[in-house]
Amino acid sequence: MSRKNRLPLAAAVLLLNAVQWVVSEAVAAAAWTSPPYSYATNYISDLGVPECGTHYQGRTICSPDHALMNTSFIAQGVLFATGAILLALALLTGRARRVVITLAAAHAVGFVLVGLFHGSPDGPGYSLALHVGGAAVAILCANTVVILAGSLRSLQLPYAYRVFSITVGALGLLSEAFVGASTSTAGIFERGGVYSWLLWSAVTGVCVLVRHLRRPVGARMPENVPA
């Protein structure tokens, strides 16, 4: 696939990723009615737990659309990784390309584990460990990719975009550090670490389409260096 074709495909995949997640999460949360799902106190992972009535860390979990959310988890990992890898192949060379591809692939593996193994104590002991471990790796890798996207100049996007990318990635990592600070805000801080790269996916997809897809693509750009 040529570089010219990789760019629009990467943009479309990143936009699709953000949209499918937001829609799937909203639908799954709306289906959860007893007790009502809380974006502030419930973890995102609660939406993927298949057992209804499970009590975990003071929360009663019952997600009727758990299959939808688990499918979205897996799709998110694959779509984000695909979009990031396509951008890396089109716009990066050398070590920068290899780093981004490795991080994106690790993110995909992490979210596949999140979708296959659930955040519930009801099940084999390894299941929850794989879920938590996969989520931690995925969140760390995705936000690192977002920070790198702002640190490298290959995207040829405005300075404001680069500042946005570094800031949103850094805030995503910082938000995750406060997840366990309070049960009343756990869902908020977890979402801060996840919505960071979903927002980045949407913004990057739009920016790439606007700045790259309506003009001729020149020769391959050299590897970028931090700003």
Side-chain angles (χ1 to χ4, degrees), residues 94-121:
R95 184 173 60 183
R97 175 190 281 184
R98 293 192 296 272
V99 169
V100 170
I101 290 175
T102 300
L103 290 170
H107 171 83
V109 172
F111 251 95
V112 169
L113 292 176
V114 168
L116 293 178
F117 301 96
H118 311 118
S120 167

Side-chain angles (χ1 to χ4, degrees), residues 46-197:
D46 291 348
L47 292 170
V49 174
E51 299 86 11
C52 184
T54 294
H55 297 279
Y56 185 47
Q57 296 179 341
R59 307 186 308 279
T60 300
I61 301 175
C62 185
S63 180
D65 281 346
H66 56 87
L68 171 65
M69 200 66 228
N70 287 320
T71 300
S72 180
F73 287 152
I74 295 172
Q76 193 287 139
V78 173
L79 290 171
F80 179 87
T82 300
I85 289 171
L86 286 171
L87 285 180
L89 291 175
L91 300 173
L92 297 175
T93 60
R95 184 173 60 183
R97 175 190 281 184
R98 293 192 296 272
V99 169
V100 170
I101 290 175
T102 300
L103 290 170
H107 171 83
V109 172
F111 251 95
V112 169
L113 292 176
V114 168
L116 293 178
F117 301 96
H118 311 118
S120 167
D122 296 342
Y126 63 81
S127 181
L128 182 59
L130 287 173
H131 178 90
V132 173
V137 169
I139 291 170
L140 174 62
C141 289
N143 281 298
T144 303
V145 167
V146 171
I147 293 171
L148 286 175
S151 301
L152 303 173
R153 298 175 182 173
S154 283
L155 291 177
Q156 285 195 328
L157 292 168
Y159 177 75
Y161 166 84
R162 298 177 61 206
V163 172
F164 156 79
S165 191
I166 294 172
T167 301
V168 77
L171 288 176
L173 292 176
L174 180 63
S175 183
E176 280 298 313
F178 289 93
V179 168
S182 172
T183 56
S184 63
T185 58
I188 294 175
F189 285 114
E190 184 195 32
R191 283 176 168 79
V194 173
Y195 288 2
S196 54
W197 79 72

